Structure formats: structure tokens, C-alpha cells
Amino acid sequence: GAYLTVNPQIQYDTRDNAFDPTKGTYARVTASPSIGLNGGFVKLGASKSIYKPVGKKGNATFAFNVQGGTGFGGVPQFSQYR
């Protein structure tokens, strides 16, 4: 079926470069409520990435990412986290 969804999010970003970061943190929290003809559902998600320079010259970067999400209500198969 068809659903109407909004995707508000909150971000925290201290990366030195958005496309090729070498240091900093990026975190995001999202909520996606959806309403359709057959009911509605909500998806919540969060992710955090940390970037640290490594080596004496700092010419390499260690990147770590953790993320998770969950759904409430009758989340249809096409919209489930996998």
C-alpha cells in the first residue's frame, strides 16, 4: 500500500571534513512515523561514527561505526530493518 512518511532527525557533527573525515564524531537520531490506508507504524534509528587519526604522521584514519533501529506497529516487509 501507499504510506505518507516524515523523517525528522537530529545530528551532531564535529568531523573535519564531511566527505573524507580524519577526526571527529558524527551522530544521528531519526524517527519516521508513517500513516497509510491500512494503519501506521513508526521506525526509530540511531548511528554514531568516530574518526581518529593513526600513525606518527596521522596519514591513516581509524573509523568506527555503530548503528541500530527498531520499528513499532505493523511495519510492512518492504520497510523492515535487515
Side-chain angles (χ1 to χ4, degrees):
Y3 290 89
L4 175 64
T5 303
V6 294
N7 295 302
Q9 60 181 313
I10 297 172
Q11 296 180 356
Y12 173 78
D13 191 354
T14 63
R15 297 173 295 176
D16 60 342
N17 183 309
F19 297 105
D20 189 20
T22 59
K23 63 182 177 179
T25 299
Y26 178 72
R28 181 175 61 191
V29 177
T30 61
S32 300
S34 299
I35 299 173
L37 297 176
N38 298 327
F41 62 94
V42 176
K43 288 173 56 177
L44 303 174
S47 67
K48 183 174 182 179
S49 299
I50 299 172
Y51 304 92
K52 299 271 186 187
V54 294
K56 291 183 180 182
K57 295 181 181 180
N59 55 359
T61 303
F62 173 78
F64 176 77
N65 175 271
V66 62
Q67 54 188 334
T70 190
F72 299 98
V75 180
Q77 186 176 6
F78 69 84
S79 190
Q80 292 177 359
Y81 286 107
R82 296 185 184 249

